[in-house]
Amino acid sequence: SCAKLFATEMLGRVADRGVQVHGGAGYINEYPVERFYRDARLLRLYEGTTQVQQLIIGRELLRQAA
């Protein structure tokens, strides 16, 4: 869960910056960054959202502390 959370959040940040670099053209299908941005959003939802991953991590930390 920690690795998935970190990787998908970082991918989202990188893809967002890539779209910003291309400006409005970053949303056009001509550029690969458009697909990266779309895929990044999908990966954040696949196998559990960020919030679900945070709950799993928190639950495991609490279990270890007990």
Side-chain angles (χ1 to χ4, degrees):
S1 288
C2 289
K4 190 237 184 251
L5 176 64
F6 177 80
T8 56
E9 288 301 307
M10 189 55 61
L11 173 62
R13 290 179 188 179
V14 170
D16 183 58
R17 297 239 171 103
V19 169
Q20 283 184 334
V21 166
H22 286 82
Y27 286 110
I28 298 172
N29 285 340
E30 271 179 41
Y31 295 98
V33 72
E34 180 271 336
R35 182 170 181 210
F36 297 148
Y37 188 75
R38 186 171 24 101
D39 289 350
R41 185 67 185 139
L42 177 65
L43 288 173
R44 283 183 175 174
L45 301 175
Y46 186 70
E47 296 272 337
T49 63
T50 297
Q51 290 77 21
V52 170
Q53 297 305 321
Q54 289 172 339
L55 288 172
I56 292 170
I57 294 165
R59 189 178 314 131
E60 182 63 27
L61 289 173
L62 288 173
R63 190 171 61 146
Q64 290 177 3

